Amino acid sequence: MSLSFQLIQNGDSALDICFQGTPGEALSKVIIALQRLLQQEMALGCWPGLQELIPAYQCLTIVYDPVQITGGGPTFGELHAQLQAFIAKTLASSSFPEALLRTQPSALIEIPVCYAEPFAIDMDVVCAHTGLARNEVIARHHKPEYLVHMLGFSPGFLYLGGLDPSISCPRKEKPALRVDAGSVGIGGAQTGIYPQATPGGWQIIGRTPLPLFDPQQEYPFVARPLDRIRFVPISVQEFESMTRNAAVAMHAGSEEI
Amino acid sequence: MLRILKPGLQTSLQDGGRMGWMQYGIARGGAADPVAMRLANSLLRNPAGHPCLEVTLTGPELEFTADLSIAICGARFALTHNGCSVDNNCVIQIRKGDVLQFGPLQSGARAYLAFAAEPQLAAVFDSFSTYLQAGFGGVRGRSLRAGDQIPLQNCRREKSRQLADGYQLKYTGRPQLRVIDGAEAGLFARDQRELFYRTAYRVSPQSNRMGIRLQGDTLNTEGLPQMTSSGLCPGTVQIPPDGQPIISFVEGQTIGGYPRLAHVISADQHLLAQLKPRDKLDFQRVDLETAVRILCDKTALLARLDTQS
């Protein structure tokens, strides 16, 4: 696979491996496969000082301990050179990235979303920006199968690809100080769900009753990178009954500890 | 047992945080000021990242139901132990039934109360630290409330001693934070970068463990390309479209989409924890080699602490 990349310093304790190319499924497969391979090697102790790998649309961020890298371990120059050679060799392999991705096949996950008035607090902004009626924005939002590019931002947040460009809408000028948990938003050409109440800059067009993060579970998130997501529209009544059921299930879970 | 009589503004259990979960959006978290936490733990011969109470701006009132030693480092509060004034930076001997009260804040913003004991709580993702934004870890995933109790086991007595002078940190309320260029620094106009380094920024009251929001001269981000989101680490200074910088902090988002103008060097990030709303700060630009050298020096200085005890 011929793909050019660059190592870019991201602060004093991280490097971004940035790939040339447009964000999409092919690039995400490369990034996730590379992450899995590096993760395996890190677990074997091949990369002393490397601590975290954060995949994104065009980059894989490597977080490292600068003290360990400089003190006794490889120097920055050596780390750069080693990574450069490692990535070039990996990309050149004919089985890359497919062989690495086969170990964790992708799943299709349905997420219920209520696009009704009480939850769609920024729908008017999106309608005004796109020139589309409310129903049309909703239809275009739940029609596609979205690709999970990565998790991040806050625990369990899914970065999804596949938003219909006709309903893209710029982020807020100033991030809102509080966005409710489960809120479904559009930020530029991206769409996603806020797993917790957090500050956030996206335009909110609906809400899911499904908890996106449950630390009691062995895998505490609803999806993995490269899984597919489908939004299923639900009514306010369905939202409320599902919220009650989720609360009962969570409560039952927490009573066991 | 540790009983919370009054909780203070935001008192939470914290430790060295969680590693390896950033790929799922889980920040490392842990003590906002790991240096102060480490100093408090070292007085009690605890491991550096042993769980502590992180006390923020307005402190709690606590009652202990066992004999043990404790130590407090970081922000200075008017502290009283059974009504008698006590100090930061030394071992405090507690007897069953004793009450510790945090009075008015004198300097800094966050103090760390270490105990010669282990909290009897369930770790979440291998850490006792409270993840306030996402509501898990620590005590019920939140800051402490009146009536909460933290069960302690293996309570010990440590001999009375003080932190060496060189380790007693003072917080001026006007720190100079050293930064290196952020990944998008080169995309900003030169006059905007100069403005950033010239401005004495004020800490917004909307700051928290997730991010420190600054107020000052507005930076112009017009003409910068719209970015796709990528990995974000604590210390990174992002400039959102309103032109007011935000410094990502210990519970910061793991992926960000605003241009990264600068990055507070790892060695100075603990100072972010001691900023109060309305404090001022200045940025000083250094290069990557300097940033790493300062971090190695500070790490070596803290490592010597352990050999002294």
Side-chain angles (χ1 to χ4, degrees):
Chain A
M1 174 172 281
S2 116
L3 191 62
S4 68
F5 65 92
Q6 242 187 316
L7 296 181
I8 295 172
Q9 196 65 41
N10 176 3
D12 61 2
S13 47
L15 276 173
D16 291 346
I17 307 170
C18 291
F19 292 92
Q20 216 88 94
T22 44
E25 185 163 2
L27 190 52
S28 276
K29 281 184 168 176
V30 168
I31 291 169
I32 298 302
L34 186 64
Q35 182 202 356
R36 288 188 190 165
L37 183 60
L38 262 173
Q39 203 90 59
Q40 287 166 13
E41 296 210 346
M42 281 161 64
L44 295 171
C46 303
W47 296 92
L50 301 200
Q51 296 176 326
E52 310 253 4
L53 300 172
I54 313 169
Y57 291 109
Q58 288 170 299
C59 312
L60 178 63
T61 299
I62 300 180
V63 182
Y64 57 81
D65 173 7
V67 176
Q68 210 181 331
I69 295 292
T70 50
T75 65
F76 281 113
E78 282 163 7
L79 178 66
H80 270 251
Q82 283 171 11
L83 280 170
Q84 196 92 31
F86 170 77
I87 300 161
K89 185 178 141 228
T90 302
L91 293 177
S93 154
S94 60
S95 63
F96 183 85
E98 298 301 335
L100 281 156
L101 298 177
R102 245 172 260 141
T103 52
Q104 179 73 57
S106 90
L108 174 65
I109 293 142
E110 293 194 334
I111 296 181
V113 176
C114 180
Y115 293 96
E117 192 73 70
F119 306 128
I121 51 175
D122 302 315
M123 185 64 91
D124 292 344
V125 177
V126 178
C127 291
H129 179 81
T130 59
L132 296 170
R134 197 181 180 92
N135 282 348
E136 195 54 37
V137 171
I138 295 170
R140 292 183 193 194
H141 189 260
H142 75 74
K143 193 167 164 243
E145 258 181 28
Y146 293 95
L147 177 74
V148 179
H149 285 274
M150 69 270 197
L151 280 72
F153 179 72
S154 69
F157 182 86
L158 308 172
Y159 280 88
L160 303 176
L163 182 70
D164 184 334
S166 68
I167 56 167
S168 72
C169 187
R171 298 182 186 113
K172 291 174 183 172
E173 283 286 300
K174 191 173 184 147
L177 287 175
R178 186 191 154 95
V179 178
D180 284 317
S183 294
V184 176
I186 292 175
Q190 302 168 43
T191 186
I193 310 162
Y194 286 87
Q196 298 85 26
T198 53
W202 293 17
Q203 313 288 356
I204 304 307
I205 59 160
R207 197 182 296 176
T208 180
L210 191 76
L212 269 87
F213 172 62
D214 179 0
Q216 307 300 335
Q217 300 298 317
E218 196 193 333
Y219 186 74
F221 318 102
V222 296
R224 292 182 160 83
L226 304 181
D227 282 348
R228 287 176 194 281
I229 298 291
R230 192 186 290 142
F231 292 126
V232 180
I234 55 167
S235 66
V236 176
Q237 288 74 22
E238 285 172 301
F239 180 93
E240 282 166 356
S241 99
M242 290 169 95
T243 306
R244 272 195 301 274
N245 293 342
V248 169
M250 292 287 263
H251 190 65
S254 64
E255 285 301 286
E256 285 167 16
I257 339 168
Chain B
M1 184 90 78
L2 174 58
R3 191 173 289 145
I4 314 303
L5 304 178
K6 291 180 188 161
L9 182 67
Q10 188 182 80
T11 305
S12 65
L13 195 70
Q14 299 296 343
D15 62 9
R18 310 175 162 81
M19 202 180 286
W21 292 85
M22 286 182 83
Q23 58 177 299
Y24 302 109
I26 299 178
R28 290 210 193 144
D33 185 342
V35 172
M37 172 180 72
R38 183 168 183 171
L39 294 174
N41 275 327
S42 78
L43 280 167
L44 303 174
R45 297 188 306 139
N46 285 338
H50 195 71
C52 286
L53 286 189
E54 179 176 282
V55 170
T56 311
L57 297 172
T58 305
E61 192 177 317
L62 311 165
E63 186 189 345
F64 294 85
T65 62
D67 291 4
L68 81 166
S69 303
I70 63 166
I72 297 155
C73 291
R76 281 177 184 270
F77 289 83
L79 293 169
T80 54
H81 172 208
N82 291 341
C84 300
S85 136
V86 284
D87 259 342
N88 271 31
N89 301 328
C90 63
V91 175
I92 301 169
Q93 307 298 356
I94 297 288
R95 286 194 171 280
K96 186 178 171 186
D98 282 4
V99 172
L100 183 78
Q101 203 172 10
F102 283 73
L105 178 66
Q106 293 162 343
S107 71
R110 288 181 175 88
Y112 291 82
L113 187 158
F115 16 76
E118 277 138 38
Q120 234 176 326
L121 293 166
V124 182
F125 308 138
D126 301 324
S127 164
F128 291 104
S129 65
T130 316
Y131 204 119
L132 292 170
Q133 292 291 338
F136 68 91
V139 177
R140 294 164 192 263
R142 54 162 172 77
S143 51
L144 297 171
R145 295 180 189 158
D148 279 348
Q149 299 190 343
I150 302 179
L152 298 174
Q153 58 188 359
N154 301 330
C155 292
R156 307 181 324 261
R157 284 264 187 198
E158 286 295 327
K159 69 171 195 286
S160 293
R161 60 199 191 98
Q162 270 198 330
L163 202 61
D165 280 349
Y167 293 97
Q168 303 218 5
L169 299 174
K170 291 179 179 63
Y171 310 108
T172 58
R174 175 93 190 239
Q176 188 161 58
L177 298 173
R178 289 166 290 196
V179 297
I180 60 169
D181 278 346
E184 281 77 44
L187 299 178
F188 285 81
R190 189 180 167 160
D191 62 335
Q192 295 306 300
R193 275 183 285 167
E194 285 170 0
L195 181 61
F196 174 75
Y197 287 106
R198 216 172 42 232
T199 303
Y201 283 101
R202 212 160 68 142
V203 176
S204 153
Q206 286 157 358
S207 304
N208 54 28
R209 285 171 47 88
M210 205 179 165
I212 314 271
R213 288 168 182 253
L214 302 180
Q215 299 167 326
D217 291 322
T218 300
L219 298 176
N220 186 353
T221 60
E222 265 170 49
L224 290 180
Q226 178 93 343
M227 294 176 44
T228 52
S229 300
S230 59
L232 181 66
C233 295
T236 294
V237 184
Q238 293 189 102
I239 313 296
D242 75 354
Q244 302 288 308
I246 302 172
I247 310 173
S248 190
F249 202 27
V250 285
E251 272 182 34
Q253 53 195 61
T254 57
I255 288 182
Y258 295 127
R260 298 161 287 186
L261 174 56
H263 178 89
V264 177
I265 67 171
S266 294
D268 283 354
Q269 283 172 21
H270 66 106
L271 296 170
L272 296 171
Q274 302 300 345
L275 291 168
K276 301 184 290 296
R278 286 174 293 279
D279 275 356
K280 285 196 163 184
L281 56 90
D282 304 285
F283 291 111
Q284 185 200 353
R285 189 162 171 261
V286 297
D287 60 20
L288 179 62
E289 287 66 33
T290 309
V292 175
R293 185 172 42 75
I294 297 167
L295 182 65
C296 290
D297 290 350
K298 273 200 188 180
T299 306
L301 189 68
L302 286 170
R304 278 206 289 283
L305 198 65
D306 298 333
T307 58
Q308 284 167 2
S309 57

